[in-house]
Amino acid sequence: MLLTVNVTFGAVLAVLLAVAATVAAVARLGRAREIAVAGVRAAVQLAAVSLVIGWVVRSLPLLFAFLLLMYAVAVRTAGRRITANRTWRWAWLPIAAGVVPVVAALLLTGLVPLKGITLVPVTGILIGGALTATVLGGRRALDELGLRHGEVEAGMALGLLVRDARMEVARPAASDALLPGLDQTRTVGLVTLPGAFVGMLLGGASPLLAGAVQLFVLVALMAVQAVAVSVVLELVARGRLYRDSP
């Protein structure tokens, strides 16, 4: 067993969460309350999932309902991180565009069986990756357009379409959203041993099989994130996702 769940476990978690929130407050990062709330929410949500996951994996209707819930939460979280206006709903598209084709391909090829015990964690990892890429790509694109609005107007003056002028400015910034996934993939095994690899080893799998599964997850994540960033960038360039003027 990797961790022993007891009173000490809870106390250490509480201390680590308090340290994270305190450091953010002292450094004036502006996220202290969010860190505390996120930690508490994670504890509550994981406790709830731990109680219901046994039922979910035994029933296809419950399985699909659970996956849909995961997707809906990801869409709202990503969208509201990008913009506060109603256009946040467009976040459904980059997440779906990245995740759905990859999951469908995995099911059709038989690499992932239609069983909750495998489909839930794999889909969850991919949705999480798409969420992160969508948030980073969307925020960076909109931030850059806000800072370099004059360059967009200059491009339009030279004859570029609005979409093309925005794309020229926003594309390099949005592409930075791919860096965390790229760095994780490039340094796997050298800097970190990711969760899928460690989990399989603890479950009794051979190192070779654990490595193969982890490689599969990382490559699938890169595909999902590349699609998500491309789609959210297109939405920003076309004015579907925007921020209200202050």
PDB file of all heavy atoms in Angstrom, residues 207-235:
ATOM      1  N   PRO A 207       6.814  -4.121 -14.908  1.00  0.00           N
ATOM      2  CA  PRO A 207       7.300  -2.799 -15.312  1.00  0.00           C
ATOM      3  C   PRO A 207       7.104  -2.514 -16.795  1.00  0.00           C
ATOM      4  O   PRO A 207       6.813  -1.378 -17.186  1.00  0.00           O
ATOM      5  CB  PRO A 207       8.786  -2.848 -14.940  1.00  0.00           C
ATOM      6  CG  PRO A 207       8.860  -3.842 -13.825  1.00  0.00           C
ATOM      7  CD  PRO A 207       7.833  -4.885 -14.159  1.00  0.00           C
ATOM      8  N   LEU A 208       7.248  -3.545 -17.638  1.00  0.00           N
ATOM      9  CA  LEU A 208       7.084  -3.356 -19.077  1.00  0.00           C
ATOM     10  C   LEU A 208       5.647  -2.969 -19.415  1.00  0.00           C
ATOM     11  O   LEU A 208       5.395  -2.028 -20.183  1.00  0.00           O
ATOM     12  CB  LEU A 208       7.472  -4.637 -19.824  1.00  0.00           C
ATOM     13  CG  LEU A 208       7.359  -4.567 -21.361  1.00  0.00           C
ATOM     14  CD1 LEU A 208       8.270  -3.480 -21.911  1.00  0.00           C
ATOM     15  CD2 LEU A 208       7.700  -5.915 -21.978  1.00  0.00           C
ATOM     16  N   LEU A 209       4.675  -3.676 -18.822  1.00  0.00           N
ATOM     17  CA  LEU A 209       3.275  -3.371 -19.068  1.00  0.00           C
ATOM     18  C   LEU A 209       2.917  -2.005 -18.511  1.00  0.00           C
ATOM     19  O   LEU A 209       2.193  -1.223 -19.156  1.00  0.00           O
ATOM     20  CB  LEU A 209       2.379  -4.449 -18.446  1.00  0.00           C
ATOM     21  CG  LEU A 209       0.864  -4.240 -18.607  1.00  0.00           C
ATOM     22  CD1 LEU A 209       0.492  -4.151 -20.088  1.00  0.00           C
ATOM     23  CD2 LEU A 209       0.088  -5.364 -17.923  1.00  0.00           C
ATOM     24  N   ALA A 210       3.415  -1.685 -17.324  1.00  0.00           N
ATOM     25  CA  ALA A 210       3.150  -0.375 -16.722  1.00  0.00           C
ATOM     26  C   ALA A 210       3.696   0.742 -17.607  1.00  0.00           C
ATOM     27  O   ALA A 210       3.048   1.777 -17.806  1.00  0.00           O
ATOM     28  CB  ALA A 210       3.765  -0.301 -15.326  1.00  0.00           C
ATOM     29  N   GLY A 211       4.877   0.534 -18.161  1.00  0.00           N
ATOM     30  CA  GLY A 211       5.463   1.528 -19.045  1.00  0.00           C
ATOM     31  C   GLY A 211       4.664   1.702 -20.319  1.00  0.00           C
ATOM     32  O   GLY A 211       4.492   2.824 -20.813  1.00  0.00           O
ATOM     33  N   ALA A 212       4.167   0.590 -20.860  1.00  0.00           N
ATOM     34  CA  ALA A 212       3.373   0.656 -22.088  1.00  0.00           C
ATOM     35  C   ALA A 212       2.081   1.424 -21.862  1.00  0.00           C
ATOM     36  O   ALA A 212       1.673   2.253 -22.691  1.00  0.00           O
ATOM     37  CB  ALA A 212       3.072  -0.753 -22.582  1.00  0.00           C
ATOM     38  N   VAL A 213       1.433   1.167 -20.731  1.00  0.00           N
ATOM     39  CA  VAL A 213       0.188   1.871 -20.416  1.00  0.00           C
ATOM     40  C   VAL A 213       0.446   3.365 -20.237  1.00  0.00           C
ATOM     41  O   VAL A 213      -0.314   4.209 -20.720  1.00  0.00           O
ATOM     42  CB  VAL A 213      -0.467   1.277 -19.151  1.00  0.00           C
ATOM     43  CG1 VAL A 213      -1.625   2.149 -18.680  1.00  0.00           C
ATOM     44  CG2 VAL A 213      -0.951  -0.137 -19.436  1.00  0.00           C
ATOM     45  N   GLN A 214       1.522   3.701 -19.541  1.00  0.00           N
ATOM     46  CA  GLN A 214       1.824   5.107 -19.323  1.00  0.00           C
ATOM     47  C   GLN A 214       2.151   5.812 -20.637  1.00  0.00           C
ATOM     48  O   GLN A 214       1.735   6.954 -20.859  1.00  0.00           O
ATOM     49  CB  GLN A 214       3.005   5.252 -18.358  1.00  0.00           C
ATOM     50  CG  GLN A 214       3.308   6.695 -17.995  1.00  0.00           C
ATOM     51  CD  GLN A 214       2.139   7.368 -17.318  1.00  0.00           C
ATOM     52  OE1 GLN A 214       1.741   6.992 -16.227  1.00  0.00           O
ATOM     53  NE2 GLN A 214       1.570   8.371 -17.976  1.00  0.00           N
ATOM     54  N   LEU A 215       2.867   5.152 -21.526  1.00  0.00           N
ATOM     55  CA  LEU A 215       3.169   5.728 -22.830  1.00  0.00           C
ATOM     56  C   LEU A 215       1.892   5.975 -23.622  1.00  0.00           C
ATOM     57  O   LEU A 215       1.719   7.034 -24.249  1.00  0.00           O
ATOM     58  CB  LEU A 215       4.090   4.786 -23.612  1.00  0.00           C
ATOM     59  CG  LEU A 215       4.445   5.216 -25.041  1.00  0.00           C
ATOM     60  CD1 LEU A 215       5.201   6.547 -25.022  1.00  0.00           C
ATOM     61  CD2 LEU A 215       5.255   4.132 -25.730  1.00  0.00           C
ATOM     62  N   PHE A 216       0.998   5.017 -23.569  1.00  0.00           N
ATOM     63  CA  PHE A 216      -0.296   5.138 -24.237  1.00  0.00           C
ATOM     64  C   PHE A 216      -1.064   6.356 -23.720  1.00  0.00           C
ATOM     65  O   PHE A 216      -1.614   7.152 -24.490  1.00  0.00           O
ATOM     66  CB  PHE A 216      -1.081   3.844 -23.995  1.00  0.00           C
ATOM     67  CG  PHE A 216      -2.554   3.959 -24.146  1.00  0.00           C
ATOM     68  CD1 PHE A 216      -3.135   3.990 -25.400  1.00  0.00           C
ATOM     69  CD2 PHE A 216      -3.385   4.030 -23.039  1.00  0.00           C
ATOM     70  CE1 PHE A 216      -4.502   4.094 -25.536  1.00  0.00           C
ATOM     71  CE2 PHE A 216      -4.745   4.126 -23.169  1.00  0.00           C
ATOM     72  CZ  PHE A 216      -5.310   4.168 -24.425  1.00  0.00           C
ATOM     73  N   VAL A 217      -1.079   6.551 -22.409  1.00  0.00           N
ATOM     74  CA  VAL A 217      -1.785   7.680 -21.802  1.00  0.00           C
ATOM     75  C   VAL A 217      -1.166   9.006 -22.238  1.00  0.00           C
ATOM     76  O   VAL A 217      -1.873   9.951 -22.604  1.00  0.00           O
ATOM     77  CB  VAL A 217      -1.786   7.561 -20.268  1.00  0.00           C
ATOM     78  CG1 VAL A 217      -2.288   8.851 -19.612  1.00  0.00           C
ATOM     79  CG2 VAL A 217      -2.648   6.385 -19.825  1.00  0.00           C
ATOM     80  N   LEU A 218       0.151   9.081 -22.212  1.00  0.00           N
ATOM     81  CA  LEU A 218       0.823  10.330 -22.549  1.00  0.00           C
ATOM     82  C   LEU A 218       0.613  10.717 -24.018  1.00  0.00           C
ATOM     83  O   LEU A 218       0.363  11.889 -24.333  1.00  0.00           O
ATOM     84  CB  LEU A 218       2.320  10.213 -22.252  1.00  0.00           C
ATOM     85  CG  LEU A 218       2.699  10.152 -20.766  1.00  0.00           C
ATOM     86  CD1 LEU A 218       4.185   9.843 -20.617  1.00  0.00           C
ATOM     87  CD2 LEU A 218       2.351  11.460 -20.070  1.00  0.00           C
ATOM     88  N   VAL A 219       0.715   9.751 -24.914  1.00  0.00           N
ATOM     89  CA  VAL A 219       0.532  10.050 -26.336  1.00  0.00           C
ATOM     90  C   VAL A 219      -0.924  10.426 -26.622  1.00  0.00           C
ATOM     91  O   VAL A 219      -1.200  11.369 -27.385  1.00  0.00           O
ATOM     92  CB  VAL A 219       0.965   8.847 -27.196  1.00  0.00           C
ATOM     93  CG1 VAL A 219       0.617   9.096 -28.663  1.00  0.00           C
ATOM     94  CG2 VAL A 219       2.465   8.615 -27.047  1.00  0.00           C
ATOM     95  N   ALA A 220      -1.856   9.710 -26.003  1.00  0.00           N
ATOM     96  CA  ALA A 220      -3.276  10.049 -26.171  1.00  0.00           C
ATOM     97  C   ALA A 220      -3.560  11.451 -25.653  1.00  0.00           C
ATOM     98  O   ALA A 220      -4.312  12.220 -26.262  1.00  0.00           O
ATOM     99  CB  ALA A 220      -4.148   9.026 -25.450  1.00  0.00           C
ATOM    100  N   LEU A 221      -2.938  11.807 -24.545  1.00  0.00           N
ATOM    101  CA  LEU A 221      -3.114  13.142 -23.985  1.00  0.00           C
ATOM    102  C   LEU A 221      -2.592  14.214 -24.930  1.00  0.00           C
ATOM    103  O   LEU A 221      -3.211  15.271 -25.095  1.00  0.00           O
ATOM    104  CB  LEU A 221      -2.396  13.250 -22.640  1.00  0.00           C
ATOM    105  CG  LEU A 221      -3.225  12.982 -21.383  1.00  0.00           C
ATOM    106  CD1 LEU A 221      -2.336  13.037 -20.147  1.00  0.00           C
ATOM    107  CD2 LEU A 221      -4.368  13.983 -21.268  1.00  0.00           C
ATOM    108  N   MET A 222      -1.445  13.972 -25.555  1.00  0.00           N
ATOM    109  CA  MET A 222      -0.917  14.966 -26.489  1.00  0.00           C
ATOM    110  C   MET A 222      -1.870  15.170 -27.660  1.00  0.00           C
ATOM    111  O   MET A 222      -2.062  16.297 -28.133  1.00  0.00           O
ATOM    112  CB  MET A 222       0.470  14.545 -26.976  1.00  0.00           C
ATOM    113  CG  MET A 222       1.567  14.742 -25.953  1.00  0.00           C
ATOM    114  SD  MET A 222       3.234  14.726 -26.683  1.00  0.00           S
ATOM    115  CE  MET A 222       3.299  13.035 -27.300  1.00  0.00           C
ATOM    116  N   ALA A 223      -2.476  14.099 -28.152  1.00  0.00           N
ATOM    117  CA  ALA A 223      -3.428  14.214 -29.253  1.00  0.00           C
ATOM    118  C   ALA A 223      -4.649  15.022 -28.821  1.00  0.00           C
ATOM    119  O   ALA A 223      -5.106  15.927 -29.541  1.00  0.00           O
ATOM    120  CB  ALA A 223      -3.851  12.820 -29.726  1.00  0.00           C
ATOM    121  N   VAL A 224      -5.176  14.696 -27.650  1.00  0.00           N
ATOM    122  CA  VAL A 224      -6.355  15.399 -27.131  1.00  0.00           C
ATOM    123  C   VAL A 224      -6.053  16.884 -26.938  1.00  0.00           C
ATOM    124  O   VAL A 224      -6.842  17.759 -27.332  1.00  0.00           O
ATOM    125  CB  VAL A 224      -6.807  14.769 -25.796  1.00  0.00           C
ATOM    126  CG1 VAL A 224      -7.807  15.666 -25.083  1.00  0.00           C
ATOM    127  CG2 VAL A 224      -7.424  13.402 -26.050  1.00  0.00           C
ATOM    128  N   GLN A 225      -4.915  17.201 -26.353  1.00  0.00           N
ATOM    129  CA  GLN A 225      -4.594  18.589 -26.067  1.00  0.00           C
ATOM    130  C   GLN A 225      -4.299  19.391 -27.326  1.00  0.00           C
ATOM    131  O   GLN A 225      -4.653  20.568 -27.412  1.00  0.00           O
ATOM    132  CB  GLN A 225      -3.429  18.650 -25.088  1.00  0.00           C
ATOM    133  CG  GLN A 225      -3.797  18.122 -23.707  1.00  0.00           C
ATOM    134  CD  GLN A 225      -2.641  18.154 -22.730  1.00  0.00           C
ATOM    135  OE1 GLN A 225      -1.475  18.084 -23.120  1.00  0.00           O
ATOM    136  NE2 GLN A 225      -2.952  18.244 -21.443  1.00  0.00           N
ATOM    137  N   ALA A 226      -3.662  18.770 -28.295  1.00  0.00           N
ATOM    138  CA  ALA A 226      -3.401  19.472 -29.553  1.00  0.00           C
ATOM    139  C   ALA A 226      -4.710  19.868 -30.234  1.00  0.00           C
ATOM    140  O   ALA A 226      -4.854  20.994 -30.736  1.00  0.00           O
ATOM    141  CB  ALA A 226      -2.559  18.597 -30.477  1.00  0.00           C
ATOM    142  N   VAL A 227      -5.665  18.956 -30.252  1.00  0.00           N
ATOM    143  CA  VAL A 227      -6.963  19.260 -30.855  1.00  0.00           C
ATOM    144  C   VAL A 227      -7.684  20.332 -30.056  1.00  0.00           C
ATOM    145  O   VAL A 227      -8.239  21.291 -30.621  1.00  0.00           O
ATOM    146  CB  VAL A 227      -7.829  17.985 -30.944  1.00  0.00           C
ATOM    147  CG1 VAL A 227      -9.245  18.332 -31.395  1.00  0.00           C
ATOM    148  CG2 VAL A 227      -7.210  16.980 -31.902  1.00  0.00           C
ATOM    149  N   ALA A 228      -7.687  20.207 -28.730  1.00  0.00           N
ATOM    150  CA  ALA A 228      -8.390  21.171 -27.887  1.00  0.00           C
ATOM    151  C   ALA A 228      -7.836  22.580 -28.066  1.00  0.00           C
ATOM    152  O   ALA A 228      -8.602  23.549 -28.197  1.00  0.00           O
ATOM    153  CB  ALA A 228      -8.294  20.746 -26.420  1.00  0.00           C
ATOM    154  N   VAL A 229      -6.523  22.717 -28.086  1.00  0.00           N
ATOM    155  CA  VAL A 229      -5.916  24.038 -28.256  1.00  0.00           C
ATOM    156  C   VAL A 229      -6.231  24.602 -29.642  1.00  0.00           C
ATOM    157  O   VAL A 229      -6.547  25.792 -29.788  1.00  0.00           O
ATOM    158  CB  VAL A 229      -4.387  23.968 -28.041  1.00  0.00           C
ATOM    159  CG1 VAL A 229      -3.727  25.288 -28.433  1.00  0.00           C
ATOM    160  CG2 VAL A 229      -4.074  23.650 -26.588  1.00  0.00           C
ATOM    161  N   SER A 230      -6.174  23.774 -30.664  1.00  0.00           N
ATOM    162  CA  SER A 230      -6.475  24.239 -32.021  1.00  0.00           C
ATOM    163  C   SER A 230      -7.910  24.746 -32.126  1.00  0.00           C
ATOM    164  O   SER A 230      -8.165  25.799 -32.741  1.00  0.00           O
ATOM    165  CB  SER A 230      -6.257  23.096 -33.023  1.00  0.00           C
ATOM    166  OG  SER A 230      -4.911  22.669 -33.016  1.00  0.00           O
ATOM    167  N   VAL A 231      -8.835  24.028 -31.510  1.00  0.00           N
ATOM    168  CA  VAL A 231     -10.246  24.418 -31.602  1.00  0.00           C
ATOM    169  C   VAL A 231     -10.531  25.668 -30.781  1.00  0.00           C
ATOM    170  O   VAL A 231     -11.234  26.574 -31.240  1.00  0.00           O
ATOM    171  CB  VAL A 231     -11.155  23.256 -31.157  1.00  0.00           C
ATOM    172  CG1 VAL A 231     -12.616  23.705 -31.093  1.00  0.00           C
ATOM    173  CG2 VAL A 231     -11.011  22.077 -32.111  1.00  0.00           C
ATOM    174  N   VAL A 232      -9.997  25.748 -29.566  1.00  0.00           N
ATOM    175  CA  VAL A 232     -10.264  26.942 -28.754  1.00  0.00           C
ATOM    176  C   VAL A 232      -9.621  28.170 -29.390  1.00  0.00           C
ATOM    177  O   VAL A 232     -10.173  29.283 -29.328  1.00  0.00           O
ATOM    178  CB  VAL A 232      -9.779  26.742 -27.299  1.00  0.00           C
ATOM    179  CG1 VAL A 232      -8.267  26.881 -27.167  1.00  0.00           C
ATOM    180  CG2 VAL A 232     -10.473  27.734 -26.364  1.00  0.00           C
ATOM    181  N   LEU A 233      -8.475  28.008 -30.026  1.00  0.00           N
ATOM    182  CA  LEU A 233      -7.841  29.114 -30.734  1.00  0.00           C
ATOM    183  C   LEU A 233      -8.723  29.585 -31.890  1.00  0.00           C
ATOM    184  O   LEU A 233      -8.884  30.794 -32.121  1.00  0.00           O
ATOM    185  CB  LEU A 233      -6.470  28.679 -31.256  1.00  0.00           C
ATOM    186  CG  LEU A 233      -5.710  29.683 -32.114  1.00  0.00           C
ATOM    187  CD1 LEU A 233      -5.430  30.967 -31.339  1.00  0.00           C
ATOM    188  CD2 LEU A 233      -4.395  29.075 -32.614  1.00  0.00           C
ATOM    189  N   GLU A 234      -9.302  28.645 -32.606  1.00  0.00           N
ATOM    190  CA  GLU A 234     -10.197  28.996 -33.712  1.00  0.00           C
ATOM    191  C   GLU A 234     -11.428  29.742 -33.198  1.00  0.00           C
ATOM    192  O   GLU A 234     -11.885  30.721 -33.810  1.00  0.00           O
ATOM    193  CB  GLU A 234     -10.618  27.729 -34.452  1.00  0.00           C
ATOM    194  CG  GLU A 234     -11.312  27.971 -35.768  1.00  0.00           C
ATOM    195  CD  GLU A 234     -10.384  28.547 -36.840  1.00  0.00           C
ATOM    196  OE1 GLU A 234      -9.216  28.143 -36.901  1.00  0.00           O
ATOM    197  OE2 GLU A 234     -10.853  29.412 -37.606  1.00  0.00           O
ATOM    198  N   LEU A 235     -11.968  29.309 -32.064  1.00  0.00           N
ATOM    199  CA  LEU A 235     -13.135  29.980 -31.485  1.00  0.00           C
ATOM    200  C   LEU A 235     -12.806  31.414 -31.092  1.00  0.00           C
ATOM    201  O   LEU A 235     -13.603  32.335 -31.294  1.00  0.00           O
ATOM    202  CB  LEU A 235     -13.630  29.204 -30.260  1.00  0.00           C
ATOM    203  CG  LEU A 235     -14.275  27.849 -30.525  1.00  0.00           C
ATOM    204  CD1 LEU A 235     -14.545  27.123 -29.211  1.00  0.00           C
ATOM    205  CD2 LEU A 235     -15.577  28.020 -31.301  1.00  0.00           C
TER     206      LEU A 235
END
